[in-house]
Amino acid sequence: MISKSGQSAQKLRPCIADFDCNGSDRPAVAVDLDFSEYEAEVPQHQHRQGQLILALHGAVTCTAANGLWIVPPNCGVWIPGSVPHSNQVTANARLSYLFVEPGAAALPQECCTLSVSPMLREMILRLAHAPDSYAPDDHFGRLVRVLLDELALMPKQGLELPVPSHPKIAVIAAALTAEPSDRRTLGEWADHVAMSERSLKRLMVQETGLTFGRWRRQLHLVIALRELASGATVQRVSSDLGYESVTAFIVMFKKALGATPTRYFAT
């Protein structure tokens, strides 16, 4: 759980009421939020509209549809309408929420992480300052049409961590989430949950779509992105995840995302 250390004197409030756009009939609505003013955890809820959660600074993890998505800067997680979800933000997070009316754009029918181009990011920020109503052919109406067309073109990013529901896999997932530096092998975990290694190997792929090694690397990537976005050093994250060296961690990160941590967060 991410704490709001240093802000205990400030009364933080839930933010759902401040961005509930369920009553809007506009094709898209954007809202900016600085989480220095809000509670870090947004409990499970849902919206009639689809929602793009865009990280302007810091990061947010979103849990929905048996998966967990990390949203570092320059990315957004897309949540289709009526999908229950919850969010957990870093203490330094600034987010933009974009709500899209059903059928207003050709967007994915499943939760996913999307790249967000600098142009699209600026259009979402501009829309956040739109008046309470706008006409289809006025300035903001035209902006929304282009914005939604651009959003539909954004490529997906592989930043999802499947959240297993099988009780034995869930035990392993909970333990590794609590202590990601745990380097027990698949065989050792099989002994821990009273299964054969072969059965656990098969069950892991069945429940998550990933081998145990790939699932653990994805967990490390999700944690690394969240912690680096919150201001942690590469050295500390590497140590917390149990890597033998900073170089080994950087190699994993670059292989997954195409850039070193420093370059990734500099873009």
PDB file of all heavy atoms in Angstrom, residues 22-50:
ATOM      1  N   ASN A  22     -20.771  10.509 -15.189  1.00  0.00           N
ATOM      2  CA  ASN A  22     -21.796   9.615 -15.704  1.00  0.00           C
ATOM      3  C   ASN A  22     -22.998  10.356 -16.278  1.00  0.00           C
ATOM      4  O   ASN A  22     -23.718   9.841 -17.112  1.00  0.00           O
ATOM      5  CB  ASN A  22     -22.262   8.645 -14.609  1.00  0.00           C
ATOM      6  CG  ASN A  22     -21.290   7.502 -14.410  1.00  0.00           C
ATOM      7  OD1 ASN A  22     -20.641   7.058 -15.350  1.00  0.00           O
ATOM      8  ND2 ASN A  22     -21.156   7.030 -13.175  1.00  0.00           N
ATOM      9  N   GLY A  23     -23.233  11.588 -15.817  1.00  0.00           N
ATOM     10  CA  GLY A  23     -24.390  12.326 -16.310  1.00  0.00           C
ATOM     11  C   GLY A  23     -24.121  13.117 -17.572  1.00  0.00           C
ATOM     12  O   GLY A  23     -25.028  13.757 -18.111  1.00  0.00           O
ATOM     13  N   SER A  24     -22.910  13.096 -18.079  1.00  0.00           N
ATOM     14  CA  SER A  24     -22.565  13.895 -19.260  1.00  0.00           C
ATOM     15  C   SER A  24     -23.072  13.233 -20.534  1.00  0.00           C
ATOM     16  O   SER A  24     -23.116  12.005 -20.645  1.00  0.00           O
ATOM     17  CB  SER A  24     -21.042  14.063 -19.336  1.00  0.00           C
ATOM     18  OG  SER A  24     -20.681  14.669 -20.554  1.00  0.00           O
ATOM     19  N   ASP A  25     -23.466  14.077 -21.504  1.00  0.00           N
ATOM     20  CA  ASP A  25     -23.852  13.545 -22.816  1.00  0.00           C
ATOM     21  C   ASP A  25     -22.854  13.968 -23.893  1.00  0.00           C
ATOM     22  O   ASP A  25     -23.102  13.798 -25.076  1.00  0.00           O
ATOM     23  CB  ASP A  25     -25.265  14.007 -23.193  1.00  0.00           C
ATOM     24  CG  ASP A  25     -25.382  15.529 -23.247  1.00  0.00           C
ATOM     25  OD1 ASP A  25     -24.396  16.218 -22.896  1.00  0.00           O
ATOM     26  OD2 ASP A  25     -26.463  16.022 -23.624  1.00  0.00           O
ATOM     27  N   ARG A  26     -21.704  14.527 -23.481  1.00  0.00           N
ATOM     28  CA  ARG A  26     -20.677  14.919 -24.442  1.00  0.00           C
ATOM     29  C   ARG A  26     -19.890  13.698 -24.907  1.00  0.00           C
ATOM     30  O   ARG A  26     -19.736  12.747 -24.135  1.00  0.00           O
ATOM     31  CB  ARG A  26     -19.741  15.945 -23.802  1.00  0.00           C
ATOM     32  CG  ARG A  26     -20.387  17.304 -23.565  1.00  0.00           C
ATOM     33  CD  ARG A  26     -19.536  18.182 -22.665  1.00  0.00           C
ATOM     34  NE  ARG A  26     -19.655  17.764 -21.264  1.00  0.00           N
ATOM     35  CZ  ARG A  26     -18.965  18.302 -20.267  1.00  0.00           C
ATOM     36  NH1 ARG A  26     -18.085  19.260 -20.512  1.00  0.00           N
ATOM     37  NH2 ARG A  26     -19.140  17.886 -19.030  1.00  0.00           N
ATOM     38  N   PRO A  27     -19.382  13.687 -26.146  1.00  0.00           N
ATOM     39  CA  PRO A  27     -18.630  12.520 -26.632  1.00  0.00           C
ATOM     40  C   PRO A  27     -17.425  12.176 -25.765  1.00  0.00           C
ATOM     41  O   PRO A  27     -17.086  11.005 -25.592  1.00  0.00           O
ATOM     42  CB  PRO A  27     -18.206  12.934 -28.046  1.00  0.00           C
ATOM     43  CG  PRO A  27     -19.159  13.994 -28.438  1.00  0.00           C
ATOM     44  CD  PRO A  27     -19.517  14.722 -27.180  1.00  0.00           C
ATOM     45  N   ALA A  28     -16.773  13.193 -25.227  1.00  0.00           N
ATOM     46  CA  ALA A  28     -15.612  12.969 -24.366  1.00  0.00           C
ATOM     47  C   ALA A  28     -15.487  14.106 -23.364  1.00  0.00           C
ATOM     48  O   ALA A  28     -15.799  15.263 -23.685  1.00  0.00           O
ATOM     49  CB  ALA A  28     -14.334  12.851 -25.192  1.00  0.00           C
ATOM     50  N   VAL A  29     -15.043  13.768 -22.181  1.00  0.00           N
ATOM     51  CA  VAL A  29     -14.834  14.739 -21.105  1.00  0.00           C
ATOM     52  C   VAL A  29     -13.495  14.418 -20.459  1.00  0.00           C
ATOM     53  O   VAL A  29     -13.183  13.239 -20.222  1.00  0.00           O
ATOM     54  CB  VAL A  29     -15.950  14.661 -20.039  1.00  0.00           C
ATOM     55  CG1 VAL A  29     -15.674  15.619 -18.894  1.00  0.00           C
ATOM     56  CG2 VAL A  29     -17.307  14.949 -20.659  1.00  0.00           C
ATOM     57  N   ALA A  30     -12.697  15.431 -20.168  1.00  0.00           N
ATOM     58  CA  ALA A  30     -11.402  15.230 -19.523  1.00  0.00           C
ATOM     59  C   ALA A  30     -11.350  15.977 -18.194  1.00  0.00           C
ATOM     60  O   ALA A  30     -11.935  17.055 -18.055  1.00  0.00           O
ATOM     61  CB  ALA A  30     -10.272  15.707 -20.431  1.00  0.00           C
ATOM     62  N   VAL A  31     -10.646  15.377 -17.228  1.00  0.00           N
ATOM     63  CA  VAL A  31     -10.496  15.968 -15.900  1.00  0.00           C
ATOM     64  C   VAL A  31      -9.053  15.780 -15.466  1.00  0.00           C
ATOM     65  O   VAL A  31      -8.488  14.697 -15.623  1.00  0.00           O
ATOM     66  CB  VAL A  31     -11.429  15.286 -14.872  1.00  0.00           C
ATOM     67  CG1 VAL A  31     -11.256  15.916 -13.491  1.00  0.00           C
ATOM     68  CG2 VAL A  31     -12.882  15.366 -15.316  1.00  0.00           C
ATOM     69  N   ASP A  32      -8.434  16.833 -14.927  1.00  0.00           N
ATOM     70  CA  ASP A  32      -7.083  16.750 -14.367  1.00  0.00           C
ATOM     71  C   ASP A  32      -7.168  16.595 -12.859  1.00  0.00           C
ATOM     72  O   ASP A  32      -7.997  17.251 -12.208  1.00  0.00           O
ATOM     73  CB  ASP A  32      -6.276  18.012 -14.682  1.00  0.00           C
ATOM     74  CG  ASP A  32      -5.860  18.082 -16.139  1.00  0.00           C
ATOM     75  OD1 ASP A  32      -5.982  17.057 -16.834  1.00  0.00           O
ATOM     76  OD2 ASP A  32      -5.426  19.156 -16.575  1.00  0.00           O
ATOM     77  N   LEU A  33      -6.300  15.762 -12.283  1.00  0.00           N
ATOM     78  CA  LEU A  33      -6.294  15.551 -10.838  1.00  0.00           C
ATOM     79  C   LEU A  33      -4.860  15.548 -10.321  1.00  0.00           C
ATOM     80  O   LEU A  33      -3.999  14.855 -10.861  1.00  0.00           O
ATOM     81  CB  LEU A  33      -6.947  14.218 -10.479  1.00  0.00           C
ATOM     82  CG  LEU A  33      -8.457  14.097 -10.691  1.00  0.00           C
ATOM     83  CD1 LEU A  33      -8.900  12.667 -10.446  1.00  0.00           C
ATOM     84  CD2 LEU A  33      -9.207  15.043  -9.778  1.00  0.00           C
ATOM     85  N   ASP A  34      -4.626  16.322  -9.268  1.00  0.00           N
ATOM     86  CA  ASP A  34      -3.354  16.312  -8.559  1.00  0.00           C
ATOM     87  C   ASP A  34      -3.575  15.523  -7.270  1.00  0.00           C
ATOM     88  O   ASP A  34      -4.350  15.954  -6.406  1.00  0.00           O
ATOM     89  CB  ASP A  34      -2.916  17.745  -8.249  1.00  0.00           C
ATOM     90  CG  ASP A  34      -1.552  17.810  -7.584  1.00  0.00           C
ATOM     91  OD1 ASP A  34      -1.135  16.800  -6.973  1.00  0.00           O
ATOM     92  OD2 ASP A  34      -0.906  18.867  -7.647  1.00  0.00           O
ATOM     93  N   PHE A  35      -2.924  14.381  -7.135  1.00  0.00           N
ATOM     94  CA  PHE A  35      -3.221  13.509  -6.007  1.00  0.00           C
ATOM     95  C   PHE A  35      -2.554  13.937  -4.712  1.00  0.00           C
ATOM     96  O   PHE A  35      -2.646  13.220  -3.711  1.00  0.00           O
ATOM     97  CB  PHE A  35      -2.905  12.051  -6.359  1.00  0.00           C
ATOM     98  CG  PHE A  35      -4.088  11.352  -6.958  1.00  0.00           C
ATOM     99  CD1 PHE A  35      -4.388  11.518  -8.296  1.00  0.00           C
ATOM    100  CD2 PHE A  35      -4.914  10.574  -6.185  1.00  0.00           C
ATOM    101  CE1 PHE A  35      -5.494  10.895  -8.858  1.00  0.00           C
ATOM    102  CE2 PHE A  35      -6.021   9.951  -6.722  1.00  0.00           C
ATOM    103  CZ  PHE A  35      -6.314  10.108  -8.059  1.00  0.00           C
ATOM    104  N   SER A  36      -1.917  15.099  -4.690  1.00  0.00           N
ATOM    105  CA  SER A  36      -1.513  15.653  -3.403  1.00  0.00           C
ATOM    106  C   SER A  36      -2.739  16.085  -2.616  1.00  0.00           C
ATOM    107  O   SER A  36      -2.674  16.295  -1.407  1.00  0.00           O
ATOM    108  CB  SER A  36      -0.572  16.839  -3.607  1.00  0.00           C
ATOM    109  OG  SER A  36      -1.246  17.904  -4.270  1.00  0.00           O
ATOM    110  N   GLU A  37      -3.883  16.205  -3.305  1.00  0.00           N
ATOM    111  CA  GLU A  37      -5.119  16.653  -2.670  1.00  0.00           C
ATOM    112  C   GLU A  37      -6.090  15.505  -2.384  1.00  0.00           C
ATOM    113  O   GLU A  37      -7.125  15.706  -1.755  1.00  0.00           O
ATOM    114  CB  GLU A  37      -5.817  17.674  -3.576  1.00  0.00           C
ATOM    115  CG  GLU A  37      -4.963  18.877  -3.933  1.00  0.00           C
ATOM    116  CD  GLU A  37      -5.608  19.740  -5.007  1.00  0.00           C
ATOM    117  OE1 GLU A  37      -6.747  19.424  -5.413  1.00  0.00           O
ATOM    118  OE2 GLU A  37      -4.983  20.723  -5.424  1.00  0.00           O
ATOM    119  N   TYR A  38      -5.766  14.300  -2.864  1.00  0.00           N
ATOM    120  CA  TYR A  38      -6.715  13.193  -2.773  1.00  0.00           C
ATOM    121  C   TYR A  38      -6.089  11.965  -2.123  1.00  0.00           C
ATOM    122  O   TYR A  38      -4.872  11.819  -2.075  1.00  0.00           O
ATOM    123  CB  TYR A  38      -7.215  12.808  -4.173  1.00  0.00           C
ATOM    124  CG  TYR A  38      -8.000  13.888  -4.861  1.00  0.00           C
ATOM    125  CD1 TYR A  38      -7.427  14.652  -5.873  1.00  0.00           C
ATOM    126  CD2 TYR A  38      -9.320  14.147  -4.507  1.00  0.00           C
ATOM    127  CE1 TYR A  38      -8.143  15.646  -6.512  1.00  0.00           C
ATOM    128  CE2 TYR A  38     -10.044  15.141  -5.144  1.00  0.00           C
ATOM    129  CZ  TYR A  38      -9.457  15.885  -6.141  1.00  0.00           C
ATOM    130  OH  TYR A  38     -10.169  16.866  -6.773  1.00  0.00           O
ATOM    131  N   GLU A  39      -6.946  11.065  -1.669  1.00  0.00           N
ATOM    132  CA  GLU A  39      -6.487   9.793  -1.146  1.00  0.00           C
ATOM    133  C   GLU A  39      -5.811   8.995  -2.261  1.00  0.00           C
ATOM    134  O   GLU A  39      -6.236   9.037  -3.414  1.00  0.00           O
ATOM    135  CB  GLU A  39      -7.673   9.001  -0.580  1.00  0.00           C
ATOM    136  CG  GLU A  39      -8.297   9.658   0.644  1.00  0.00           C
ATOM    137  CD  GLU A  39      -9.546   8.935   1.116  1.00  0.00           C
ATOM    138  OE1 GLU A  39     -10.007   8.008   0.407  1.00  0.00           O
ATOM    139  OE2 GLU A  39     -10.060   9.296   2.194  1.00  0.00           O
ATOM    140  N   ALA A  40      -4.779   8.233  -1.907  1.00  0.00           N
ATOM    141  CA  ALA A  40      -3.987   7.514  -2.907  1.00  0.00           C
ATOM    142  C   ALA A  40      -4.742   6.331  -3.502  1.00  0.00           C
ATOM    143  O   ALA A  40      -4.452   5.916  -4.623  1.00  0.00           O
ATOM    144  CB  ALA A  40      -2.666   7.034  -2.302  1.00  0.00           C
ATOM    145  N   GLU A  41      -5.684   5.795  -2.753  1.00  0.00           N
ATOM    146  CA  GLU A  41      -6.406   4.615  -3.232  1.00  0.00           C
ATOM    147  C   GLU A  41      -7.818   4.987  -3.651  1.00  0.00           C
ATOM    148  O   GLU A  41      -8.561   5.611  -2.891  1.00  0.00           O
ATOM    149  CB  GLU A  41      -6.455   3.536  -2.148  1.00  0.00           C
ATOM    150  CG  GLU A  41      -7.090   2.247  -2.628  1.00  0.00           C
ATOM    151  CD  GLU A  41      -6.934   1.109  -1.640  1.00  0.00           C
ATOM    152  OE1 GLU A  41      -6.344   1.336  -0.567  1.00  0.00           O
ATOM    153  OE2 GLU A  41      -7.396  -0.005  -1.944  1.00  0.00           O
ATOM    154  N   VAL A  42      -8.173   4.614  -4.872  1.00  0.00           N
ATOM    155  CA  VAL A  42      -9.534   4.802  -5.366  1.00  0.00           C
ATOM    156  C   VAL A  42     -10.195   3.428  -5.364  1.00  0.00           C
ATOM    157  O   VAL A  42      -9.811   2.556  -6.144  1.00  0.00           O
ATOM    158  CB  VAL A  42      -9.548   5.399  -6.784  1.00  0.00           C
ATOM    159  CG1 VAL A  42     -10.988   5.636  -7.250  1.00  0.00           C
ATOM    160  CG2 VAL A  42      -8.760   6.711  -6.828  1.00  0.00           C
ATOM    161  N   PRO A  43     -11.164   3.180  -4.476  1.00  0.00           N
ATOM    162  CA  PRO A  43     -11.739   1.834  -4.363  1.00  0.00           C
ATOM    163  C   PRO A  43     -12.501   1.424  -5.618  1.00  0.00           C
ATOM    164  O   PRO A  43     -12.750   2.246  -6.515  1.00  0.00           O
ATOM    165  CB  PRO A  43     -12.680   1.958  -3.164  1.00  0.00           C
ATOM    166  CG  PRO A  43     -12.999   3.416  -3.065  1.00  0.00           C
ATOM    167  CD  PRO A  43     -11.778   4.140  -3.552  1.00  0.00           C
ATOM    168  N   GLN A  44     -12.862   0.159  -5.680  1.00  0.00           N
ATOM    169  CA  GLN A  44     -13.511  -0.368  -6.883  1.00  0.00           C
ATOM    170  C   GLN A  44     -14.788   0.406  -7.215  1.00  0.00           C
ATOM    171  O   GLN A  44     -15.608   0.679  -6.347  1.00  0.00           O
ATOM    172  CB  GLN A  44     -13.831  -1.850  -6.706  1.00  0.00           C
ATOM    173  CG  GLN A  44     -14.331  -2.497  -7.994  1.00  0.00           C
ATOM    174  CD  GLN A  44     -14.548  -3.986  -7.848  1.00  0.00           C
ATOM    175  OE1 GLN A  44     -15.596  -4.422  -7.359  1.00  0.00           O
ATOM    176  NE2 GLN A  44     -13.561  -4.772  -8.257  1.00  0.00           N
ATOM    177  N   HIS A  45     -14.902   0.745  -8.483  1.00  0.00           N
ATOM    178  CA  HIS A  45     -16.056   1.486  -8.983  1.00  0.00           C
ATOM    179  C   HIS A  45     -16.155   1.236 -10.480  1.00  0.00           C
ATOM    180  O   HIS A  45     -15.330   0.525 -11.061  1.00  0.00           O
ATOM    181  CB  HIS A  45     -15.905   2.980  -8.690  1.00  0.00           C
ATOM    182  CG  HIS A  45     -14.713   3.594  -9.359  1.00  0.00           C
ATOM    183  ND1 HIS A  45     -13.415   3.366  -8.942  1.00  0.00           N
ATOM    184  CD2 HIS A  45     -14.613   4.407 -10.447  1.00  0.00           C
ATOM    185  CE1 HIS A  45     -12.570   4.017  -9.731  1.00  0.00           C
ATOM    186  NE2 HIS A  45     -13.264   4.648 -10.660  1.00  0.00           N
ATOM    187  N   GLN A  46     -17.132   1.807 -11.133  1.00  0.00           N
ATOM    188  CA  GLN A  46     -17.246   1.684 -12.581  1.00  0.00           C
ATOM    189  C   GLN A  46     -17.948   2.901 -13.141  1.00  0.00           C
ATOM    190  O   GLN A  46     -18.574   3.672 -12.410  1.00  0.00           O
ATOM    191  CB  GLN A  46     -17.996   0.405 -12.969  1.00  0.00           C
ATOM    192  CG  GLN A  46     -19.444   0.361 -12.494  1.00  0.00           C
ATOM    193  CD  GLN A  46     -20.063  -1.000 -12.737  1.00  0.00           C
ATOM    194  OE1 GLN A  46     -19.586  -2.022 -12.246  1.00  0.00           O
ATOM    195  NE2 GLN A  46     -21.141  -1.028 -13.505  1.00  0.00           N
ATOM    196  N   HIS A  47     -17.785   3.100 -14.451  1.00  0.00           N
ATOM    197  CA  HIS A  47     -18.397   4.220 -15.151  1.00  0.00           C
ATOM    198  C   HIS A  47     -19.184   3.705 -16.347  1.00  0.00           C
ATOM    199  O   HIS A  47     -18.835   2.670 -16.932  1.00  0.00           O
ATOM    200  CB  HIS A  47     -17.327   5.194 -15.670  1.00  0.00           C
ATOM    201  CG  HIS A  47     -16.301   5.571 -14.654  1.00  0.00           C
ATOM    202  ND1 HIS A  47     -16.525   6.503 -13.680  1.00  0.00           N
ATOM    203  CD2 HIS A  47     -15.027   5.123 -14.457  1.00  0.00           C
ATOM    204  CE1 HIS A  47     -15.447   6.624 -12.929  1.00  0.00           C
ATOM    205  NE2 HIS A  47     -14.516   5.794 -13.379  1.00  0.00           N
ATOM    206  N   ARG A  48     -20.211   4.429 -16.689  1.00  0.00           N
ATOM    207  CA  ARG A  48     -20.954   4.091 -17.901  1.00  0.00           C
ATOM    208  C   ARG A  48     -20.072   4.274 -19.129  1.00  0.00           C
ATOM    209  O   ARG A  48     -20.104   3.487 -20.077  1.00  0.00           O
ATOM    210  CB  ARG A  48     -22.199   4.986 -18.003  1.00  0.00           C
ATOM    211  CG  ARG A  48     -23.053   4.752 -19.244  1.00  0.00           C
ATOM    212  CD  ARG A  48     -24.275   5.643 -19.215  1.00  0.00           C
ATOM    213  NE  ARG A  48     -23.914   7.049 -19.127  1.00  0.00           N
ATOM    214  CZ  ARG A  48     -23.534   7.793 -20.171  1.00  0.00           C
ATOM    215  NH1 ARG A  48     -23.447   7.259 -21.382  1.00  0.00           N
ATOM    216  NH2 ARG A  48     -23.231   9.061 -20.011  1.00  0.00           N
ATOM    217  N   GLN A  49     -19.263   5.317 -19.130  1.00  0.00           N
ATOM    218  CA  GLN A  49     -18.355   5.583 -20.247  1.00  0.00           C
ATOM    219  C   GLN A  49     -17.073   4.752 -20.129  1.00  0.00           C
ATOM    220  O   GLN A  49     -16.721   4.269 -19.057  1.00  0.00           O
ATOM    221  CB  GLN A  49     -17.946   7.064 -20.287  1.00  0.00           C
ATOM    222  CG  GLN A  49     -19.083   8.048 -20.340  1.00  0.00           C
ATOM    223  CD  GLN A  49     -19.372   8.623 -18.966  1.00  0.00           C
ATOM    224  OE1 GLN A  49     -19.275   7.904 -17.969  1.00  0.00           O
ATOM    225  NE2 GLN A  49     -19.713   9.887 -18.910  1.00  0.00           N
ATOM    226  N   GLY A  50     -16.377   4.638 -21.251  1.00  0.00           N
ATOM    227  CA  GLY A  50     -15.016   4.145 -21.209  1.00  0.00           C
ATOM    228  C   GLY A  50     -14.134   5.206 -20.573  1.00  0.00           C
ATOM    229  O   GLY A  50     -14.460   6.402 -20.593  1.00  0.00           O
TER     230      GLY A  50
END
